[in-house]
Amino acid sequence: MTTAPRPAAELSADEARRIALRAQGFLGAPDRRAGVRGVLRSLGQVQLDTISVLARSHELIPYARLGAVGRPAVERAYWTGAHAFEYWSHAACVLPVEEWPHFAFRRRAYRDRPHWGHELSPGAYGKVIDQLRDQGPLTATELGGAKNKGEWWDWSDSKIAVERALMYGEVVVTERRGWKRVYDLAERAIPQELLHDDLDDAECVRRLVRQAGEALGVGTRADIADYHRIKAEQFDAVVEASGLVPVTVAGWGKPAWADPAALATEPRGRHRTTLLSPFDSLIWERPRTERIFGFTHRLEAYVPKQKRIHGYFAMPVLAGGRLVGRVDPAREGRTLVAKQVSLDGPKAVPAVAKALREAAEWVGCEAVTVERLDHPQLLPELLKALA
């Protein structure tokens, strides 16, 4: 375990919360000129997920920070002009193309990995590389089919081969087309000045620790290491050289590190009011969310229906720099249905109504209905605020 040097600053819990909100793009005027690409560069990654309720998570994340940016514009921002690629970071993520060199340590680790979940058939790897070289970007289906006739993970030979090439870095995912990965050769998709594995493992990890610290503003060892799924011992080896500075945060009970730029000025400005994807980097780590916001949140999509408390895809509501409730949304035609709403008391009603109205407009819904509210006596007030 790292023994932190003397802290550079002592922060109150409220100061740490505001630093985190600003670093994640929820406090202060949004940088609309930089747009979606600016959000991606600032966060360092945007997590992908198969669940689509209002929209997919990688669309919800820039929406939460910028407001009603058009959904087609989000996709174009990610996938045109060689600005981004998909790779394994916190999970499957969209990453700024500038980060390609810093994942060399992970590509090397995959190449050295002795065991894989799927056996690679002789000749399959070279075949998919040749297909991509000759035919250009292709989906797994176009490469020969993604699956055999078995279960979800019963991949075809071509799917196994192209995913292996993706992990090795010879192949890149350059976009999602109908949620299917589109693969291309790295030599064609990554700008030449970035297409290298020159950085050693320590420098790759140092850079990613620094980037995670900047994106979080302030965090514990676990917070920062989890951002790109870096091992704790890797964090320990580079944190002193990362440029992050040790701090103490009241009530955290653990050593923390902060971006020195985040400590240089007081976080001020307008707070965003919005629904948050459960896969948003502001809240994706439960212990951090509980520590910063005093808010316990769990994605219940994979919990049996009868055991769910807040709903299938409950989205926390951010307002005034606090998490003030949850909404489990669905779409029925041109209506946004709040299947379940959980409120942190009467004061949350205006914020939840505002977040619902704006989300409905963004996804092209003309009305909002509420099916269940955990405070039934507040339903007339909520409906009035929605009207």
Side-chain angles (χ1 to χ4, degrees), residues 112-340:
D112 295 340
R113 186 178 177 183
H115 302 293
W116 294 87
H118 298 91
E119 291 296 325
L120 185 63
S121 298
Y125 191 96
K127 181 180 178 182
V128 298
I129 297 299
D130 289 344
Q131 281 182 268
L132 291 171
R133 181 168 287 114
D134 294 342
Q135 300 175 40
L138 298 170
T139 66
T141 300
E142 293 166 338
L143 283 166
K147 293 199 297 179
N148 293 322
K149 296 181 180 180
E151 297 299 323
W152 176 258
W153 292 105
D154 185 21
W155 286 353
S156 68
D157 287 346
S158 58
K159 174 68 171 174
I160 294 169
V162 78
E163 287 290 326
R164 190 77 58 92
L166 170 65
M167 290 177 166
Y168 290 172
E170 193 168 357
V171 160
V172 178
V173 173
T174 57
E175 67 173 303
R176 290 274 185 148
R177 188 185 302 156
W179 199 241
K180 293 180 178 180
R181 283 175 166 169
V182 178
Y183 305 91
D184 198 4
L185 298 180
E187 64 192 43
R188 196 158 51 206
I190 302 297
Q192 287 301 308
E193 66 272 18
L194 299 172
L195 186 64
H196 63 79
D197 282 2
D198 295 349
L199 302 180
D200 64 24
D201 287 11
E203 178 58 19
C204 290
V205 174
R206 187 203 67 80
R207 161 61 193 168
L208 292 177
V209 165
R210 176 61 186 244
Q211 191 282 317
E214 291 172 348
L216 292 171
V218 59
T220 65
R221 176 199 201 212
D223 296 343
I224 297 169
D226 181 69
Y227 202 78
H228 292 292
R229 296 282 201 247
I230 290 167
K231 295 177 182 177
E233 57 269 25
Q234 292 176 310
F235 172 90
D236 293 344
V238 303
V239 65
E240 188 173 347
S242 71
L244 303 179
V245 296
V247 297
T248 59
V249 180
W252 281 24
K254 294 180 179 180
W257 286 262
D259 172 17
L263 301 177
T265 57
E266 183 181 351
R268 294 180 177 179
R270 185 180 63 185
H271 287 286
R272 285 285 296 147
T273 296
T274 189
L275 299 179
L276 295 173
S277 163
F279 303 107
D280 195 299
S281 51
L282 181 70
I283 58 168
W284 64 21
E285 191 188 7
R286 260 168 86 181
R288 178 177 170 84
T289 302
E290 291 175 3
R291 195 184 327 118
I292 292 179
F293 296 104
F295 189 91
T296 301
H297 187 69
R298 178 188 184 191
L299 176 66
E300 298 180 332
Y302 307 108
V303 174
K305 186 174 182 180
Q306 66 273 16
K307 294 185 178 181
R308 292 174 191 156
I309 298 171
H310 298 291
Y312 174 78
F313 196 73
M315 301 177 68
V317 180
L318 179 71
R322 307 283 181 179
L323 297 176
V324 300
R326 300 170 176 84
V327 173
D328 182 32
R331 293 173 65 185
E332 295 181 2
R334 301 298 294 275
T335 299
L336 189 159
V337 180
K339 299 179 74 64
Q340 184 168 328

Side-chain angles (χ1 to χ4, degrees), residues 11-18 249-252 291-292:
L11 303 174
S12 69
D14 187 66
E15 287 171 330
R17 178 183 57 84
R18 291 169 63 82
V249 180
W252 281 24
R291 195 184 327 118
I292 292 179

Side-chain angles (χ1 to χ4, degrees), residues 48-51 56 58 176-181:
L48 294 153
D49 193 79
T50 58
I51 297 173
R56 293 200 188 273
H58 67 286
R176 290 274 185 148
R177 188 185 302 156
W179 199 241
K180 293 180 178 180
R181 283 175 166 169

